[in-house]
Structure formats: structure tokens, C-alpha cells
Amino acid sequence: MNIQQFYDEGLAHASYAILSEGKMALVDPGRNPQPYYDYAAAAEAKIVAVIETHPHADFVSSHLEFHQNEGAIIYVSKLVGAEYPHTGFDEGDSFEMGKVSFHALHTPGHSPDSISILLKDENRKDYALFSGDTLFIGDVGRPDLREKAGNLKAQREELAKMMYHTVQDKLKPLADEVIVYPAHGAGSLCGKNLSDARQSTIGEQRASNWAFGNVDEVTFVNSLLEGQPYIPKYFGYDVDMNKKGAPAYQRSISQVSIWPEGSNLPEGALVIDSREQDKFRKGHLPGAINIMNGGKFETWLGSIVSPEEKFFLVADTVAELEILIFKAAKIGYEQLIRGAVVNPEGMTETENNFDVEAFKSNPDAFTIVDIRSKDEHKNSAIFEQSINIPLHELRERTGEIPTQKPVVVHCAGGYRSAAGSSIVAGALKNAKVLDFSEAIKDFQKEVH
């Protein structure tokens, strides 16, 4: 038996391949099937099974593609109401592959249809738990994503109670040496206090994970519900896409329309400009939103742009456009791209330069907009007089920003404020909009 973890840094997503006797099973594979095909080819193994722990909210899975191309059986809880060909995999169900066997545990809490997969070795001993978004390293999955999406809707309090009983009845009884392989790590929005570690054991979690402590149900529920991160706009869209089964990856991205360099885009179109902020400042299309091609591009794309919208993608080079299309496809957003173009015509709009010294001498002369999360603002407000409008809500709430004074936008380090200031400038045409950018770091030091 061999277990291989595949890790996507952008989404902090972990998926797995389990090999035994020339056969391979996948757990929660990402959108691009190629890494799994490459691994199977190198191991001279056939992909015979794909297990989905639940319909994921934060990425699109390639399970249907493996069924269509390889004849792999998709195992998923019957509670999902999956619309693709599958085999129900619920509490008490199991299957063998080579010398190992896979056993389903119903572990609701993150979602009502979540399962965890207990892998038993050739001696039928519990060896590893593929815990999906139920158990993370240092935390458990958030319970507030399934009120509006999926086959089964559930209120967050109800799911938090389910998670309590999942920990008590399904996770605590497992042996200390059982290895824990979660579906996400630090940086994921599927939980709040995830560790950087990529794997652990039940024993380690018993000793260090708050959810394994001796707390009553009410305390557990309150702790779990408190301080969860925001829910990006794309999460419900991905749950529904995973329930149906996504279109084949390569074919879908090949259908994205690449427009000739310098093309004239339709007036009033939503434009996502991925170029570095310095280039964006020197010239961009009116109303364009500057989501730079960074480590979290796909998360912010799906947080700022709703799945009901279509958009144009702008970059410096064709190679950069291809990378961005791959990233958009991770969350199923390649289908929303009206066109991808290098340096379109009409990039004449410029951004104002922010004079930090002028701000320091008279901060009251500015309207300060803090676009960090509510918790970031609450726990460490950098400027007492600032207005907090989180970036993922900004497009809908720019009308709340007073424009009598110059508006300066800040985040924690400069990446989010590039997007935020471009949103505000595009919406408030008559206001002077400035970006604090990386200069905000000096003010944070003064606070602490």
C-alpha cells in the first residue's frame, strides 16, 4: 500500500491517491485530473475508484471525468443526491481494493452528507482516516456552508450539534495511531484555526485539537460557530456543480475565448485585470478590478465576482492568461469568462498616488476604508475612525462610503487593497480614491 498526497497551495486543498496491487483510489481529487493520471502512469496503476467525502464548496472536483474516462466507480453518500453515476457509500458500507479496504463513516457537521473514509490495511487494522472537511489538523470543519446550497439544507446550529456528536461518537473511539489525512490545511476558508501540518494522528489530535476536549454540547456549538471566516460568493455554485459533476477539464478550458491582443472590449463589461498594481495604476480600463495574479487569486476572484456574472480577464502575456484560466477553472469560473485578452485597447484610466506624509500630518482629512474582515477589524483596528467594509462585500456597499474627503483604502499588506481601491474608484467616479498599499505595515507596527 502507498498513500500519496496532492496539495494545492492556492486553495490549501489536499487530495489523495491510495495504491495497492496495481489499483488506485482517489479521495477528493481537484479539478485538473492530469496530476493523478501522471501518478497512476508512473506507478503503472489503474484508477478504479474515486471517493467524495461531500460536495465541496471551495473547489470543483474531477470525479465525473475519472468515471467517464477510466470507468472508475464514484463512491459518495446517498444523502448527497448526486446526479452523476455513483455507488452509495454510507455508514457500514465498504469495498476492497488490492490488499486494503475502505470503510465509510457518516460524519455530519461540516455538511449533513459528509463522510470520512477509514482505510484498513492488509491485516484489517485501522490505518488511516481520510477526514474530508470533518476533521482538520487543529480544528473541525465549519458548519455554516449548507444553509442555501446542496441537496440537503441545514442550519448552522443544527450542523454544529451534529459535529459535536461526530467527534464524540465517530472520531474519539478511533485508535491513537490512526493517521489523519484532511482535505484542507492552513489558509482554507473551510475552517478557522487550521494548522500548517499536512497530516497528523488521532492521538495527536486528541492531545491538541480543542474539539477533542471535555466540553459539553452547548460550549462546543458556541465555540465552533464563533469567528468563522466569510463565505465567498462562489461556494454555493461549487456545491451544486460538484453535485451534478463538472464538465471535462481540458475541454472546458479550451473553450475559453482568447481575444486578439489589443482588442476593444464592450463598454461597461466587468473586467478583471490581473496585472501587477504598478502597471494597473499607470493605465487600465475604466471600472476594471485589479485582482493581481497571486497565491489567492482564485479565492478572491470567487469572492468578488458572483457566479451569475460574466467577466473579461486581462493579463500581460498569453502565458499569464493561461495560468489565470487554470486558476479560474479550479472553482468552475472558466465558464464565466467572456474573453481573455492581453493589453486591451483603451487602458487610459490612471490611479492617484497616495502621499503617506500628507496622511500622517492630518489623518482626519481622509475617509479611511478598512477592507479587512470584520474579525480583523474588530481585533486590531489600525485607525479608530475607519469604516470597515470587507473586500468581499465592497462592490455591493460602495454607496456607504462618504466622498466629501479623499478616500483611502487599506488592508493588512497591500494585496487586497489593490482590488479594493480599484472597486471604489470604479464605483465612485467623482471621488478621489487612494490605496494605502504596503505602507499600511508601518502603521500596524505603531499600533502594536
Side-chain angles (χ1 to χ4, degrees):
M1 171 180 59
N2 190 48
I3 298 171
Q4 176 69 28
Q5 184 184 71
F6 299 81
Y7 200 81
D8 180 334
E9 295 282 357
L11 293 172
H13 162 228
S15 55
Y16 302 90
I18 301 92
L19 281 169
S20 181
E21 304 277 278
K23 295 178 180 177
M24 188 163 120
L26 302 175
V27 178
D28 296 333
R31 180 72 189 281
N32 182 359
Q34 199 56 50
Y36 311 100
Y37 282 134
D38 292 345
Y39 183 68
E44 298 182 346
K46 178 173 175 55
I47 300 170
V48 298
V50 181
I51 310 171
E52 289 292 308
T53 56
H54 63 292
H56 302 276
D58 64 311
F59 72 94
V60 173
S61 174
S62 52
H63 50 265
L64 179 56
E65 193 163 349
F66 288 110
H67 170 74
Q68 292 170 333
N69 293 345
E70 303 294 308
I73 297 172
I74 306 172
Y75 294 91
V76 65
S77 171
K78 62 179 180 295
L79 298 176
V80 168
E83 297 171 26
Y84 48 81
H86 64 280
T87 295
F89 201 51
D90 291 284
E91 185 78 30
D93 292 336
S94 65
F95 70 91
E96 295 187 4
M97 185 193 75
K99 292 184 176 180
V100 301
S101 58
F102 299 82
H103 302 256
L105 302 178
H106 184 217
T107 52
H110 173 69
S111 67
D113 44 24
S114 285
I115 57 173
S116 296
I117 316 304
L118 188 60
L119 177 68
K120 298 195 177 193
D121 63 19
E122 58 188 31
N123 299 314
R124 294 297 180 260
K125 184 180 178 184
D126 294 353
Y127 181 79
L129 182 76
F130 298 95
S131 56
D133 287 7
T134 297
L135 175 62
F136 296 132
I137 311 306
D139 204 354
V140 289
R142 66 189 296 179
D144 56 346
L145 300 181
R146 287 294 289 276
E147 295 180 322
K148 298 177 183 175
N151 186 49
L152 293 170
K153 313 295 189 291
Q155 297 299 309
R156 58 192 67 191
E157 292 83 4
E158 180 188 348
L159 280 170
K161 289 177 183 177
M162 289 182 186
M163 184 65 85
Y164 175 78
H165 291 286
T166 284
V167 173
Q168 297 296 321
D169 303 337
K170 300 294 174 68
L171 303 181
K172 280 189 174 182
L174 294 172
D176 282 352
E177 64 270 18
V178 172
I179 303 167
V180 177
Y181 291 113
H184 289 99
S188 167
L189 291 171
C190 291
K192 57 183 176 179
N193 294 311
L194 281 63
S195 165
D196 286 328
R198 301 285 171 83
Q199 67 181 68
S200 183
T201 64
I202 290 293
E204 288 170 354
Q205 292 310 292
R206 204 187 306 281
S208 61
N209 190 322
W210 74 271
F212 281 76
N214 293 318
V215 295
D216 59 76
E217 183 179 304
V218 172
T219 304
F220 181 96
V221 167
N222 290 339
S223 297
L224 183 55
L225 292 174
E226 184 182 1
Q228 289 292 352
Y230 75 96
I231 301 174
K233 293 179 171 70
Y234 78 93
F235 269 25
Y237 171 77
D238 278 15
V239 168
D240 290 338
M241 185 176 286
N242 283 320
K243 183 173 167 282
K244 294 181 178 111
Y249 173 77
Q250 204 63 49
R251 185 171 70 241
S252 193
I253 61 173
S254 70
Q255 290 172 349
V256 174
S257 178
I258 309 292
W259 288 35
E261 183 169 353
S263 288
N264 194 359
L265 303 189
E267 191 174 342
L270 175 58
V271 175
I272 303 302
D273 191 326
S274 67
R275 295 173 302 145
E276 289 296 320
Q277 187 179 28
D278 288 346
K279 292 181 180 178
F280 182 86
R281 280 178 175 164
K282 290 173 184 173
H284 56 267
L285 290 170
I289 299 174
N290 186 205
I291 308 178
M292 291 186 284
N293 181 17
K296 295 292 178 186
F297 172 83
E298 50 270 54
T299 297
W300 285 114
L301 175 67
S303 300
I304 292 169
V305 177
S306 113
E308 288 79 36
E309 298 180 285
K310 300 277 189 180
F311 61 93
F312 284 92
L313 204 49
V314 169
D316 267 332
T317 65
V318 172
E320 192 92 351
L321 278 181
E322 289 179 358
I323 291 168
L324 293 164
I325 292 167
F326 295 158
K327 289 185 175 185
K330 289 188 204 174
I331 63 170
Y333 266 39
E334 83 285 359
Q335 297 181 65
L336 309 183
I337 301 173
R338 288 177 66 182
V341 59
V342 171
N343 299 328
E345 187 182 334
M347 295 202 295
T348 56
E349 196 86 357
T350 57
E351 277 197 354
N352 298 300
N353 289 318
F354 177 49
D355 185 338
V356 180
E357 296 307 316
F359 177 86
K360 282 181 178 177
S361 65
N362 188 11
D364 292 335
F366 298 82
T367 296
I368 305 169
V369 181
D370 179 354
I371 62 166
R372 296 176 302 159
S373 71
K374 290 174 184 173
D375 283 337
E376 285 176 285
H377 178 78
K378 177 182 171 185
N379 296 332
S380 61
I382 300 170
F383 305 106
E384 285 184 17
Q385 70 271 39
S386 62
I387 302 166
N388 179 221
I389 307 178
L391 176 55
H392 68 283
E393 300 175 4
L394 193 56
R395 288 178 68 203
E396 293 76 30
R397 296 179 58 190
T398 50
E400 299 174 25
I401 301 172
T403 57
Q404 295 89 340
K405 298 186 274 189
V407 177
V408 60
V409 177
H410 83 80
C411 60
Y415 180 85
R416 284 177 285 179
S417 65
S421 59
S422 66
I423 289 169
V424 176
L428 306 179
K429 301 290 186 188
N430 298 320
K432 183 177 183 181
V433 180
L434 305 161
D435 179 9
F436 231 113
S437 193
E438 294 183 6
I440 193 65
K441 295 175 183 176
D442 297 332
F443 291 80
Q444 287 174 303
K445 288 173 188 172
E446 289 175 17
V447 170
H448 297 308

